[in-house]
Amino acid sequence: MIRDILKNKMALSGLLIITMLILVALLAPVLAPHDPYEQLLEKALMAPCWDYPFGTDEYGRCVLSRIIFGTQTALFIGLSVTVVSAFVGVGIGLTAGFYGGRFDEFLMRIVDVFLAFPGLILALVVAGLLGPGLPNVIFALALVGWMGYARVVRGAVLAEKEKEFVETARSLGASDGYIIFLHLLPNIISPVIVMASIGIGQAILGAAALSFLGIGVQPPTAMWGLMLSYGKDYLQSAPYLTIFPGVIIMVTVLAFNFLGDGLRDVCDPRYGKVIEE
Amino acid sequence: MTLLSIKNLNTAFKTRNGEVQACRNIDLDIEVGQTVGIIGETGCGKSVLGMSILKLLPYNARVTGEIRYLEQNLLTLSDQAMREIRGGGIGLLPQSPSTSLNPAMKIGTQIEEGLVLHRKMGKPAAKQKAVDMLTFLGIKKAKKVSEQFPHQLSGGMKQRALAAISITGEPRLLIADEPTKGLDAIVKTQVVELLKQLKAETGAALLLITHDLKVAECLCDKIVVMYSGEIIEMAATQKILKKPAHPYTKGLLQSLPEAGMTPIPGQSPSLSQVISGCRFYDRCEIRQAACRYQRVPLSVVNGSQVRCLYAD
């Protein structure tokens, strides 16, 4: 399995970038050339130079250092939002798809209700009601992110549960829970993994959007999305304030997408194997 | 000793187009170690009968009557107790080997499941036992195969793996649902050998659901012929093949290739159709006026049980 991932170029490149990002996040205090929160107004809005490779922002803080520390925030939000929403979505999708009937109908109407709201607006309202802070942002984003998982998983379960191997398991005396988690889950996990990888990127973007609107993670926390929104005022005079955070967001999201696509191929048991006698 | 005793079993499905009655007043006994073949054309309710025994029917099915396994009536058993019976008491050898294995699980793991569940084996012991079972069923390099996924196996190997799975719980009755459906002659012979081997190994009784008379002849002690949801004839294998009593059974035998492939004219009635008389009436060659309206019971003719008023 691990060898297959390493053989897949897409997965490998995604994994390399993500590993690098994780290392950067863990070693942020060592790697950052400056204190990301130290304001030196006399050095405000400096263009990239030897001392400040990515320049400085309007308060004279080192953009590179802030990007490095922003990695921590970004990965943390991305991962926790995805884990929470995937957990809830997969759970609801599995039970709804497996038991079907009115139960399924009920759960899917709840999904419809959630899908009827524009995601960001709902997150905005929830985060606004709960007040600023990282846990509230995560809750708000997870609240608008689980429906996709529920839908996809339900659909996959509806197809899988009719297959004969489920009947085989039943004829052996397997219980519902056993069939759901040991037989169905492994068969439907691939799309979840792909969605989750893309979801991490989406969560990072969503968190940035909330911050931009003044709800959610507050300044002066080092965060890519916040840097983008503050940098936009200087788009003409200091484009590096937006270019560098923008590039890093793009690279991060791309890396997770690559990893997701690669994993999807590798997770497929038919991938890269030949029938041996 | 009677292992499984079915009394007055009726299985019906509620559908939008009314009630479809797939099994009508089925009475059937299976002795310990006996092989019983259920013969009938597609849609005669033979598979439904098998699934009724295991209570693995869709939610819209309604089963009445009595299915007694040893001392328990399966129809009144709780879900929990029924799960103990499935695999542990009554095993199922499923129809299509290609789709009946979980594609995302190693062969070995799928065999271990039953061992862990029914024989309370530890994981390492189950692992070893799984390899032993595959070896016994004629798979070379069983250790390697047990680490493989279903798509890496050939059809015959999958069938063997499934056979191993079906006997993991040491069932006393094995239900084989069309095990030879869609197989070529060579593989069919292998499956018949496999079933013989399974029986020899486990001493289990076998309920063989098939439309292949030849397969039934090779394996069965007793043959039950079903038509349109009813048992129409039931007798020892040789008796039914040599001296069929019911006109439908005679027709079946005449439709065999070596008998000249003479088809039975017409089609069997829909399972939802209510017929007061004989369900074979429309296609019968020896029908009489009485057959049309009079309910025909199973009666003993020359030692066979036959549902025909004019059987000879």
Side-chain angles (χ1 to χ4, degrees), chain B:
Chain B
M1 193 175 89
T2 306
L3 183 67
L4 188 85
S5 167
I6 300 173
K7 289 220 167 61
N8 197 23
L9 178 80
N10 282 281
T11 303
F13 298 95
K14 272 215 175 86
T15 68
R16 219 172 291 167
N17 307 321
E19 197 159 83
V20 176
Q21 200 167 1
C23 290
R24 295 163 190 267
N25 310 317
I26 303 285
D27 289 300
L28 177 64
D29 283 347
I30 299 175
E31 307 294 322
V32 172
Q34 194 182 29
T35 302
V36 176
I38 299 187
I39 300 284
E41 60 197 75
T42 306
C44 72
K46 56 191 193 299
S47 283
V48 171
L49 174 59
M51 291 299 132
S52 301
I53 298 171
L54 281 166
K55 290 216 283 185
L56 285 177
L57 292 166
Y59 67 96
N60 62 342
R62 203 168 45 80
V63 186
T64 57
E66 191 183 275
I67 301 175
R68 203 162 271 284
Y69 171 75
L70 296 175
E71 291 310 308
Q72 295 159 299
N73 182 0
L74 299 184
L75 293 184
T76 54
L77 228 46
S78 70
D79 285 354
Q80 175 66 40
M82 200 55 219
R83 281 204 294 274
E84 295 281 322
I85 298 274
R86 285 186 202 128
I90 305 175
L92 174 73
L93 184 59
Q95 230 177 54
S96 39
S98 48
T99 52
S100 294
L101 288 163
N102 187 337
M105 210 187 250
K106 286 178 185 163
I107 298 295
T109 317
Q110 300 194 44
I111 301 174
E112 287 157 34
E113 286 183 325
L115 296 171
V116 173
L117 185 69
H118 292 292
R119 291 203 212 168
K120 310 280 176 262
M121 276 190 183
K123 201 82 184 150
K127 227 183 175 90
Q128 186 53 46
K129 179 75 187 165
V131 174
D132 292 346
M133 287 173 89
L134 286 175
T135 313
F136 171 77
L137 291 173
I139 287 188
K140 295 172 200 120
K141 296 187 194 152
K143 182 135 190 78
K144 186 173 159 223
V145 170
S146 72
E147 292 293 319
Q148 287 179 321
F149 288 95
H151 69 275
Q152 294 169 281
L153 271 57
S154 70
M157 287 160 95
K158 278 185 222 173
Q159 187 102 41
R160 275 155 217 276
L162 272 172
I165 290 172
S166 68
I167 57 165
T168 48
E170 297 181 316
R172 304 192 60 185
L173 171 66
L174 197 58
I175 300 176
D177 189 4
E178 304 260 25
T180 57
K181 191 180 196 175
L183 300 179
D184 59 54
I186 297 169
V187 185
K188 207 179 268 185
T189 320
Q190 288 173 356
V191 172
V192 171
E193 287 309 312
L194 184 67
L195 285 170
K196 279 186 182 161
Q197 209 178 353
L198 281 186
K199 266 192 66 83
E201 159 78 335
T202 58
L206 179 66
L207 182 66
L208 180 71
I209 299 166
T210 183
H211 53 240
D212 191 323
L213 273 165
K214 286 282 141 204
V215 172
E217 186 184 356
C218 291
L219 286 164
C220 300
D221 305 317
K222 179 164 101 174
I223 287 184
V224 177
V225 184
M226 278 184 77
Y227 180 78
S228 191
E230 284 178 329
I231 292 180
I232 55 125
E233 186 163 0
M234 175 155 63
T237 304
Q238 285 313 314
K239 182 159 190 81
I240 225 168
L241 294 176
K242 298 262 157 60
K243 273 185 69 79
H246 196 283
Y248 176 69
T249 318
K250 286 179 185 162
L252 268 189
L253 290 170
Q254 271 156 25
S255 66
L256 284 175
E258 51 271 37
M261 275 180 141
T262 320
I264 307 171
Q267 281 186 327
S268 54
S270 148
L271 287 169
S272 51
Q273 206 173 323
V274 179
I275 298 170
S276 53
C278 176
R279 295 186 73 79
F280 189 60
Y281 177 79
D282 287 337
R283 303 168 74 183
C284 187
E285 284 179 346
I286 57 165
R287 64 185 169 206
Q288 307 283 331
C291 303
R292 181 145 206 181
Y293 302 108
Q294 191 177 332
R295 201 183 154 270
V296 189
L298 267 180
S299 52
V300 180
V301 178
N302 295 334
S304 311
Q305 291 205 58
V306 187
R307 196 182 291 280
C308 181
L309 295 174
Y310 301 97
D312 42 4

Side-chain angles (χ1 to χ4, degrees), chain A residues 74-97:
Chain A
L75 290 187
F76 182 72
I77 291 184
L79 281 176
S80 39
V81 168
T82 306
V83 166
V84 173
S85 43
F87 200 75
V88 173
V90 170
I92 289 180
L94 278 174
T95 41

Side-chain angles (χ1 to χ4, degrees), chain A:
Chain A
M1 180 79 180
I2 291 169
R3 212 184 311 149
D4 287 338
I5 296 174
L6 296 183
K7 258 193 247 160
N8 185 303
K9 287 198 185 77
M10 282 255 268
L12 186 65
S13 50
L15 203 61
L16 278 180
I17 299 174
I18 292 166
T19 316
M20 240 145 65
L21 286 169
I22 293 172
L23 280 179
V24 167
L26 291 176
L27 299 174
V30 184
L31 290 176
H34 302 276
D35 181 346
Y37 299 108
E38 190 189 14
Q39 300 189 1
L40 297 166
L41 289 179
E42 70 274 16
K43 288 187 176 169
L45 294 173
M46 272 168 58
C49 62
W50 190 247
D51 245 7
Y52 293 92
F54 288 2
T56 59
D57 66 7
E58 75 266 41
Y59 299 115
R61 297 176 295 195
C62 172
V63 171
L64 176 62
S65 303
R66 288 183 68 73
I67 285 181
I68 289 175
F69 272 86
T71 316
Q72 293 178 339
T73 329
L75 290 187
F76 182 72
I77 291 184
L79 281 176
S80 39
V81 168
T82 306
V83 166
V84 173
S85 43
F87 200 75
V88 173
V90 170
I92 289 180
L94 278 174
T95 41
F98 187 78
Y99 289 106
R102 293 198 173 186
F103 184 64
D104 174 32
E105 199 70 23
F106 174 70
L107 288 176
M108 284 305 115
R109 292 300 80 77
I110 293 180
V111 168
D112 284 346
V113 169
F114 272 91
L115 283 175
F117 287 103
L120 197 60
I121 309 274
L122 182 60
L124 196 69
V125 171
V126 175
L129 286 175
L130 293 171
L134 204 51
N136 295 343
V137 173
I138 291 169
F139 177 77
L141 287 173
L143 194 72
V144 297
W146 61 273
M147 298 85 73
Y149 297 96
R151 273 267 151 108
V152 167
V153 169
R154 171 183 173 268
V157 169
L158 282 181
E160 290 295 323
K161 77 167 177 179
E162 298 301 333
K163 296 211 175 144
E164 282 160 31
F165 69 83
V166 175
E167 188 149 89
T168 313
R170 266 199 203 293
S171 77
L172 277 171
S175 61
D176 286 357
Y178 189 89
I179 290 175
I180 291 177
F181 289 108
L182 276 104
H183 282 283
L184 292 176
L185 190 57
N187 276 297
I188 52 121
I189 202 69
S190 310
V192 174
I193 290 173
V194 177
M195 282 185 79
S197 324
I198 297 161
I200 292 177
Q202 294 299 313
I204 292 172
L205 290 178
L210 285 185
S211 295
F212 172 72
L213 293 165
I215 286 164
V217 180
Q218 297 292 309
T221 311
M223 193 174 159
W224 301 338
L226 269 178
M227 295 169 72
L228 269 188
S229 50
Y230 279 81
K232 75 171 194 313
D233 298 340
Y234 304 93
L235 212 49
Q236 300 269 316
S237 56
Y240 47 87
L241 286 185
T242 44
I243 288 174
F244 291 115
V247 168
I248 190 74
I249 289 177
M250 192 196 75
V251 169
T252 309
V253 174
L254 214 57
F256 280 109
N257 285 358
F258 278 178
L259 180 68
D261 276 358
L263 279 179
R264 182 189 50 198
D265 292 344
V266 174
C267 281
D268 187 341
R270 281 169 289 272
Y271 168 78
K273 298 206 178 100
V274 213
I275 293 173
E276 295 159 54
E277 270 308 315

